[in-house]
């Protein structure tokens, strides 16, 4: 495969990747379908912002956000069914049940563990230790500015954590299971080893004091932008949107079976971070996964970082102890 | 082949001396689809070949039956839910049927999933009780009360102009909130119910789909 040169890199040499907006697929169907799948994303973003901006205080609470999130997930599942991007990514009962298991694990077990060791606990400990006042000036900013800043700062942290995961072997071991997904569906973001989900959840935004409403607005931006990175829906995404926001097209490139392609599009919500730091590749891919698309089951996902970490450590030790003679194959930090 | 061994007439038993006539309906699906009597067994199995012969599938013959094993099927494998199974042809008079006996680890795991989430819920209750009874808890509660009152935040003039509701006084709410502990068991209970529903949906849907796919393959139509 020849691949396409993007900057100094050749994208698509190992596996097919479509590079360039002019080459990606479009919504097929009549004018109403075209209209709906062109303006759905911006319309929902405006609706969510409008709701959280004006909702009375009794309604602007976390439980409302959870209820909306549930309904929103169901709506997006319907969209996947009505207008899939690739039929090869169609959700099956087994895939749905598997994805739901990871989501459920995040809502129960991981949340319990996170309350002791997550970023909230760490930030509280740091603040207690130094008796810092939070950055209280932040709450005086207009709500939408606060929300955009919270979202961008959190995403900035995610960008670098994610990029580090693709470049440093111990971190890669935690992230690798997520790259074994072979199709994108809306709950696939939760699929992965719990250690990774804990690491990616670490944010520096917590140091800022903010109004609860601004936090809910930031959540609404994540819910109506970041959610689309793992979705099997064909949209005619507006140009301005895909210039600043991450899309399913960007993220499918990141999940491609092509090694170079996976080293791009690290951000969660704001693809502008990738543009600034030189890792953005505009395009899309259908063939996803690792090892030629081998599916990783739940059991292996849970033990993978520890098993591979142990094997690599053992191999490194045996190399050192035997004076570098015994070279054993080890898993490459692929992306 | 532990899930699908046994002979045609005598169903498999999970353990010697232990018969599981009903309980294995949880993870096993048995049934039959009619086939064209003119079709020889070889021709019929040849038509099923594309359905079975996917990467990683091991095929073997077990008497007159065809057995398959898919240790790790891909997400889009048409038989991904049923990782092991046996298929054989039975002739009765002038007609014939393809019988199948399939094993699904996914259905079994989904059936057991509610237990796991009930376990998490119970763990949340137990940890809450344990933390409430520890001497540190009383200390912390006292410390919380001693916290300095939080200042009432004001909206930016831009937001006031646009009509966003003003933030509430954070000190007001304190009395209403009862300390229920660090963890909520509710999610665990909801999810146990959710996975029970997912199991029932799968136990109904997957046999329907497998029948449809076998019928289509035998009729020589592309698999759906």
């Amino acid at each position: 495969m020849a691949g396409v040169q993007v900057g100094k890199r050749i994208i698509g040499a190992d596996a097919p990747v479509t590079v360039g907006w002019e080459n990606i697929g479009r919504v097929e169907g009549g004018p109403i379908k075209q209209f709906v799948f062109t303006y759905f994303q911006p319309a929902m973003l405006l609706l969510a912002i409008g709701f959280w901006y004006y909702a009375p205080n009794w309604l602007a609470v976390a439980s409302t956000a959870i209820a909306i999130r549930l309904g929103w997930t169901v709506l997006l599942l319907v969209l996947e069914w009505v207008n899939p991007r690739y039929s090869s990514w169609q959700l099956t009962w087994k895939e749905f049940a598997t994805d739901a298991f990871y989501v459920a694990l995040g809502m129960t077990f991981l949340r319990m563990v996170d309350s002791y060791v997550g970023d909230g606990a760490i930030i509280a400990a740091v603040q207690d230790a130094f008796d810092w006042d939070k950055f209280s000036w932040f709450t005086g900013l207009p709500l939408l500015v606060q929300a955009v800043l919270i979202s961008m700062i959190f995403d900035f942290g995610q960008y670098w954590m994610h990029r580090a995961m693709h470049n440093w072997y111990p971190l890669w071991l935690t992230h690798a299971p997520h790259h074994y997904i072979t199709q994108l569906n809306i709950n696939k973001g939760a699929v992965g080893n719990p250690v990774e989900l804990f690491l990616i959840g670490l944010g520096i935004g917590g140091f800022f004091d903010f109004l609860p409403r601004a936090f809910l607005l930031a959540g609404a931006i994540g819910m109506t932008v970041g959610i689309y990175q793992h979705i099997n829906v064909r949209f005619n995404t507006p140009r301005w949107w895909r210039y600043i926001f991450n899309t399913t097209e960007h993220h499918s490139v990141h999940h491609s079976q092509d090694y170079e392609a996976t080293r791009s599009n690290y951000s969660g919500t704001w693809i502008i971070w990738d543009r600034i730091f030189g890792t953005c590749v505009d395009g899309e891919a259908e063939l996803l996964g690792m090892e030629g698309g081998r599916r990783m089951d739940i059991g292996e996902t849970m033990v993978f970082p520890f098993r591979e970490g142990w094997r690599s450590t053992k191999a490194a030790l045996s190399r050192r102890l035997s004076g570098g003679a015994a070279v054993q194959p080890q898993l490459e930090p692929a992306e | 082949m532990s899930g699908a061994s046994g002979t045609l007439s005598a169903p498999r038993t999970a353990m010697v001396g232990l018969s599981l006539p009903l309980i294995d309906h949880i993870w096993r699906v048995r049934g039959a689809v009619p086939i064209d009597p003119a079709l020889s067994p070889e021709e019929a199995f040849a038509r099923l070949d594309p359905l079975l012969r996917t990467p990683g599938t091991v095929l073997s013959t077990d008497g007159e039956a065809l057995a398959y094993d898919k240790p790790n099927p891909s997400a889009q494998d048409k038989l991904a839910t049923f990782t092991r199974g046996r298929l054989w042809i039975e002739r009765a008079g002038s007609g014939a049927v393809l019988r199948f006996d399939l094993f699904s680890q996914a259905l079994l795991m989904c059936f057991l999933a509610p237990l796991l989430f009930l376990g998490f819920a119970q763990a949340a209750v137990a940890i809450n009780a344990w933390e409430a009874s520890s001497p540190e808890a009383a200390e912390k509660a006292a410390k919380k009360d001693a916290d300095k009152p939080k200042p009432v935040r004001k909206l930016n003039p831009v937001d006031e102009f646009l009509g966003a509701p003003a933030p509430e006084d954070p000190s007001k709410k304190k009395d209403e909130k009862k300390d229920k502990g660090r963890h909520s068991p509710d999610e665990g209970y909801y999810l146990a119910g959710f996975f029970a529903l997912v199991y029932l949906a799968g136990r109904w849907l997957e046999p329907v789909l497998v029948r449809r796919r076998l019928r289509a393959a035998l009729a020589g139509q592309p698999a759906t």
Side-chain angles (χ1 to χ4, degrees):
Chain A
M1 236 169 279
V4 177
Q5 184 153 3
V6 180
K8 291 178 183 170
R9 302 191 289 160
I10 304 291
I11 302 290
D14 312 330
V17 178
T18 306
V19 177
W21 290 136
E22 63 281 10
N23 300 318
I24 67 163
R26 310 244 339 140
V27 176
E28 286 171 16
I32 294 174
K33 194 175 173 188
Q34 294 277 349
F35 180 82
V36 168
F37 287 96
T38 301
Y39 297 108
F40 179 84
Q41 295 174 99
M44 287 296 145
L45 174 64
L46 282 177
L47 201 67
I49 287 177
F51 175 80
W52 288 112
Y53 195 85
Y54 287 113
N57 284 331
W58 63 267
L59 193 59
V61 289
S63 57
T64 310
I66 293 168
I68 290 177
R69 180 70 191 235
L70 189 67
W72 178 235
T73 305
V74 174
L75 174 65
L76 295 181
L77 282 169
V78 171
L79 288 193
E80 284 201 1
W81 185 48
V82 171
N83 190 30
R85 190 154 151 245
Y86 298 119
S87 58
S88 64
W89 291 2
Q90 197 179 28
L91 201 56
T92 62
W93 173 81
K94 188 180 174 185
E95 282 297 300
F96 173 75
T98 310
D99 296 352
F101 176 80
Y102 288 102
V103 174
L105 206 62
M107 289 168 68
T108 52
F109 176 70
L110 291 184
R111 187 176 292 171
M112 281 160 73
V113 174
D114 219 41
S115 70
Y116 297 101
V117 294
D119 58 349
I122 295 169
I123 287 165
V126 170
Q127 283 176 339
D128 272 1
F130 294 96
D131 200 24
W132 289 342
D133 200 4
K134 285 192 177 184
F135 296 76
S136 48
W137 55 269
F138 197 81
T139 58
L141 294 171
L143 279 169
L144 275 176
V145 176
Q146 285 184 55
V148 168
L149 282 173
I150 292 167
S151 173
M152 287 193 79
I153 291 166
F154 180 74
D155 211 42
F156 177 82
Q158 276 213 331
Y159 173 89
W160 285 105
M161 174 60 83
H162 191 186
R163 194 164 166 179
M165 284 176 167
H166 280 262
N167 285 283
W168 191 46
Y169 185 67
L171 282 178
W172 163 247
L173 285 182
T174 70
H175 183 50
H178 178 62
H179 272 269
Y180 278 81
I181 58 173
T182 53
Q183 56 186 64
L184 299 183
N185 302 107
I186 56 148
N187 289 323
K188 285 283 193 289
V191 177
N193 185 272
V195 178
E196 178 214 354
L197 300 178
F198 158 70
L199 289 172
I200 208 88
L202 293 179
I204 50 175
F207 279 108
F208 290 85
D209 205 359
F210 41 75
L211 293 179
R213 190 177 292 274
F215 185 72
L216 289 166
L217 277 164
I221 295 173
M223 199 189 81
T224 51
V225 179
I227 187 86
Y228 301 118
Q229 36 180 334
H230 303 98
I231 195 172
N232 180 25
V233 173
R234 173 62 72 195
F235 289 116
N236 290 335
T237 309
R239 278 166 185 236
W240 63 268
W241 179 287
R242 65 195 186 191
Y243 186 76
I244 54 172
F245 292 141
N246 200 6
T247 61
T248 178
E249 285 85 3
H250 285 119
H251 206 60
S252 66
V253 171
H254 178 76
H255 272 280
S256 146
Q257 290 188 16
D258 182 69
Y259 173 74
E260 273 300 331
T262 59
R263 302 176 60 75
S264 64
N265 304 347
Y266 294 116
S267 68
T269 301
W270 300 87
I271 201 73
I272 201 95
W273 288 132
D274 280 278
R275 294 194 194 282
I276 290 169
F277 297 117
T279 47
C280 182
V281 174
D282 294 322
E284 67 175 355
E286 180 176 5
L287 216 56
L288 315 185
M290 303 278 298
E291 296 180 44
R294 177 172 80 84
R295 187 178 186 272
M296 188 178 276
D297 61 30
I298 294 173
E300 193 183 353
T301 301
M302 295 299 148
V303 300
F304 183 89
F306 311 107
R307 189 188 70 196
E308 294 305 317
W310 166 243
R311 281 181 186 166
S312 310
T313 312
K314 217 166 56 170
L317 281 175
S318 78
R319 263 201 312 277
R320 182 160 297 185
L321 294 175
S322 63
V327 178
Q328 287 182 9
Q330 66 165 34
L331 191 88
E332 283 293 309
E335 49 258 59
Chain B
M1 285 297 299
S2 61
S5 58
T7 62
L8 298 187
S9 51
R12 180 192 68 90
T13 50
M15 284 167 70
V16 179
L18 175 70
S19 171
L20 302 171
L22 283 174
I23 200 171
D24 71 353
H25 278 70
I26 292 167
W27 61 86
R28 254 174 110 170
V29 169
R30 278 160 286 201
V33 288
I35 58 174
D36 182 357
L39 224 55
S40 74
E42 290 75 24
E43 282 174 317
F45 283 126
R47 287 190 178 182
L48 295 177
D49 223 35
L51 208 53
L52 298 169
R53 207 175 289 280
T54 52
T57 306
V58 180
L59 293 173
S60 57
T61 48
D62 177 11
E64 284 180 16
L66 178 74
Y68 75 85
D69 188 6
K70 293 173 182 286
N72 185 24
S74 71
Q76 293 298 325
D77 191 313
K78 299 293 174 199
L79 291 173
T81 302
F82 300 101
T83 45
R84 294 195 290 265
R86 289 167 67 249
L87 306 144
W88 67 95
I89 289 166
E90 263 180 27
R91 292 189 183 276
S94 58
V97 290
L98 174 84
R99 289 201 174 277
F100 55 85
D101 182 355
L102 311 176
F103 164 82
S104 173
Q105 193 187 20
L107 281 174
L108 177 58
M109 289 298 149
C110 192
F111 181 81
L112 295 174
L115 291 179
L116 179 71
F117 290 99
L118 286 178
F120 287 144
Q122 289 308 301
V125 172
I127 295 170
N128 284 346
W130 182 70
E131 286 188 344
S133 66
S134 72
E136 283 173 31
E139 222 173 89
K140 258 190 188 170
K143 200 179 165 191
K144 238 184 192 177
D145 292 339
D147 275 353
K148 54 184 174 182
K150 289 180 183 171
V152 184
R153 304 284 189 196
K154 274 188 179 170
L155 281 180
N156 184 282
V158 173
D159 296 316
E160 274 177 10
F161 174 74
L162 289 172
E168 277 179 352
D169 185 348
S171 54
K172 263 186 190 174
K173 272 205 265 178
K174 271 196 169 173
D175 305 334
E176 299 165 20
K177 265 194 181 174
K178 275 191 179 173
D179 196 11
K180 286 182 180 172
R182 190 195 277 255
H183 309 292
S184 162
D186 296 347
E187 285 85 358
Y189 295 132
Y190 295 144
L191 288 165
F194 171 76
F195 278 102
L197 285 177
V198 171
Y199 170 76
L200 289 175
R203 186 63 185 80
W204 169 79
L205 177 70
E206 290 298 297
V208 168
L209 290 178
V210 98
R211 247 182 221 106
R212 187 189 292 173
R213 281 163 187 160
L214 287 173
R215 206 173 285 144
L218 287 167
Q221 293 162 358
T224 50

